[in-house]
Amino acid sequence: MIKKLLILIFILFFISLQWYNLNSKTNNFPIDEPIIDEPIVDEPIEEEIKYTIVIDPGHGPWVNNDVEPIAPGSDKMKRKYGVGTVGNTTGTMEREINLNVSLMLRDLLEKDGFIVIMTRTNHEVILSNIERVDLANDNNADLMIRVHNDSHQNQSIHGASMLVPGDVGYASDIMDISRQYGEIILNTLVEEVGMSNRGIITRTDQTGFNWSKVPIMTVEMGFLSNPDEDRLLSTSEYQEKLAYALYKGILKCFNKKTLLNQIE
């Protein structure tokens, strides 16, 4: 009797054990491991720098014979403004070419996000050399480019040059960077347009230069005294080429590689 009872107990224990194992398996759902949120590190977004360019279309509607100091603290005085030269062959006024190229250059730069300040947009406004460069100084411009054309008694002389400031007045602090930018823009201009390179010329007698606290230069895009260049400079097609070349040179100054790749 005892033996049968023990066998029965063993059988019941065995059945209970099987039931327990089966029940454990069916309810043994995987336990999700805790999710550890890793900190999200935002990659720094490089904010595009907005460069400010002041464009000064050289000359204006009339001669301003009022005078102003040629440099800060100087007793030497110079006329505030001149009317510019005129084409020997076409009769085109320099001020017209300067303004046309400057407006085209403005449009190209603004399209690419540059802040552009014009010293004039027509032939009705005239500012002195100091007043024009003060637009650049007051706006802490990254560059001021003065757009001009040249003339000479020798009509065979042709080509482009770049005038840059010397060690006079405020320009003492910006003459090196002005020369660096000037070389870049001039080299780009002659390469793009296909003209003679007359080089970099340092000028200490320019009122606009001597009062400038920002990088500044004057581009002489050609000679209106030269018959061939006069005819070219008077056409809108050539003016567009000049504006585009100046624009491309400015991009190089500020290392705008992405924009350069897009236009090349």
Side-chain angles (χ1 to χ4, degrees):
M1 183 67 181
I2 296 175
K3 185 178 180 180
K4 290 181 179 180
L5 183 60
L6 291 173
I7 293 172
L8 180 60
I9 293 172
F10 177 79
I11 293 171
L12 292 173
F13 174 79
F14 179 80
I15 292 172
S16 301
L17 184 62
Q18 293 299 316
W19 178 86
Y20 175 81
N21 289 337
L22 179 63
N23 192 58
S24 297
K25 288 181 181 179
T26 56
N27 291 285
N28 188 24
F29 297 110
I31 301 174
D32 291 337
E33 294 184 2
I35 299 174
I36 301 174
D37 291 333
E38 295 184 1
I40 299 175
V41 179
D42 292 331
E43 292 188 7
I45 299 174
E46 186 176 343
E47 187 174 344
E48 185 177 359
I49 299 173
K50 292 285 187 179
Y51 292 104
T52 299
I53 310 296
V54 174
I55 303 175
D56 178 27
H59 303 294
W62 62 84
V63 175
N64 187 340
N65 285 318
D66 293 339
V67 294
E68 58 190 356
I70 195 172
S74 176
D75 293 331
K76 185 176 180 181
M77 309 298 284
K78 194 173 181 180
R79 188 178 66 186
K80 288 185 174 181
Y81 213 89
V83 73
T85 188
V86 63
N88 281 352
T89 302
T90 65
T92 304
M93 297 193 71
E94 179 190 357
R95 69 183 187 190
E96 297 282 349
I97 301 169
N98 298 344
L99 182 59
N100 290 344
V101 172
S102 295
L103 291 173
M104 294 175 189
L105 176 59
R106 175 200 64 185
D107 293 345
L108 289 167
L109 290 170
E110 285 186 339
K111 184 178 179 181
D112 283 331
F114 286 83
I115 299 169
V116 180
I117 299 171
M118 302 286 294
T119 61
R120 69 181 178 98
T121 57
N122 53 50
H123 301 304
E124 299 172 5
V125 175
I126 186 167
L127 299 174
S128 75
N129 282 290
I130 294 177
E131 289 171 333
R132 282 179 285 149
V133 77
D134 273 347
L135 281 176
N137 292 337
D138 294 344
N139 287 280
N140 195 27
D142 297 286
L143 181 148
M144 179 175 183
I145 183 166
R146 308 167 78 198
V147 180
H148 283 248
N149 283 281
D150 222 330
S151 183
H152 199 277
Q153 291 181 345
N154 184 348
Q155 295 186 12
S156 66
I157 293 178
H158 63 283
S161 60
M162 186 69 74
L163 312 184
V164 297
D167 190 6
V168 177
Y170 298 147
S172 300
D173 294 331
I174 49 86
M175 63 179 185
D176 291 336
I177 189 65
S178 297
R179 186 179 188 89
Q180 179 182 330
Y181 287 167
E183 287 177 347
I184 293 171
I185 295 173
L186 177 62
N187 291 338
T188 305
L189 176 65
V190 298
E191 179 182 338
E192 289 288 320
V193 180
M195 58 174 68
S196 176
N197 188 339
R198 296 183 56 82
I200 304 292
I201 302 169
T202 300
R203 295 284 294 268
T204 58
D205 62 335
Q206 302 274 298
T207 307
F209 284 176
N210 299 336
W211 285 85
S212 183
K213 300 175 183 178
V214 303
I216 189 170
M217 67 217 59
T218 299
V219 59
E220 300 282 1
M221 301 181 296
F223 283 79
L224 286 170
S225 50
N226 179 276
D228 293 333
E229 284 196 331
D230 178 17
R231 282 187 285 267
L232 285 171
L233 288 163
S234 300
T235 66
S236 59
E237 294 80 9
Y238 193 74
Q239 292 170 10
E240 288 176 4
K241 289 178 69 175
L242 292 167
Y244 180 81
L246 294 174
Y247 155 73
K248 192 170 179 180
I250 291 172
L251 293 186
K252 290 180 181 179
C253 288
F254 298 104
N255 200 26
K256 291 285 191 177
K257 292 181 180 178
T258 303
L259 294 174
L260 285 167
N261 291 336
Q262 291 175 357
I263 64 178
E264 287 181 344

